[in-house]
Amino acid sequence: MRWIVTVDHHGGCIGLGEDANGVPARGNPEQAAALPTDFRLHLASGEVLFEGRCGDIDADWWHGFEPLNYLWHPFRCRRLSYRRAGTQDVWHWLLP
């Protein structure tokens, strides 16, 4: 699933992500605008470290874990929340 970090509250990861085939690839916020889902990566305490866009998590929840898996170890991200991009919908926790 394609995903791109668009807001970095930690430092140094703007554009980090993967292409549609799961290969690590950098992107930019303009490319992220075409993706349908906003996501946030949180510490266990709930603090948001990164925000970005990704493919449709509701249609493919398994691959929705990819940003979390990628940033789990280096930044201790433990939770991912998401919502439809361009809306003010409630943030949902990604659950297995």
Side-chain angles (χ1 to χ4, degrees):
M1 175 184 294
R2 179 74 166 135
W3 60 273
I4 300 171
V5 171
T6 57
V7 179
D8 183 347
H9 300 285
H10 184 338
C13 290
I14 293 287
L16 187 68
E18 291 182 348
D19 67 15
N21 297 315
V23 177
R26 286 219 170 254
N28 59 49
E30 293 78 29
Q31 292 170 324
L35 299 171
T37 306
D38 290 327
F39 71 85
R40 290 179 173 171
L41 294 171
H42 306 259
L43 295 175
S45 66
E47 178 184 351
V48 176
L49 285 186
F50 304 104
E51 298 179 45
R53 289 271 186 98
C54 65
D56 189 352
I57 289 178
D58 288 324
D60 187 9
W61 68 269
W62 179 257
H63 288 102
F65 282 100
E66 291 177 359
L68 185 60
N69 287 339
Y70 194 85
L71 296 167
W72 178 283
H73 183 68
F75 296 101
R76 300 186 184 267
C77 295
R78 297 296 185 253
R79 297 166 44 180
L80 184 144
S81 59
Y82 70 98
R83 69 179 179 191
R84 177 73 45 204
T87 69
Q88 295 300 314
D89 290 347
V90 174
W91 290 90
H92 300 280
W93 293 110
L94 181 61
L95 302 171

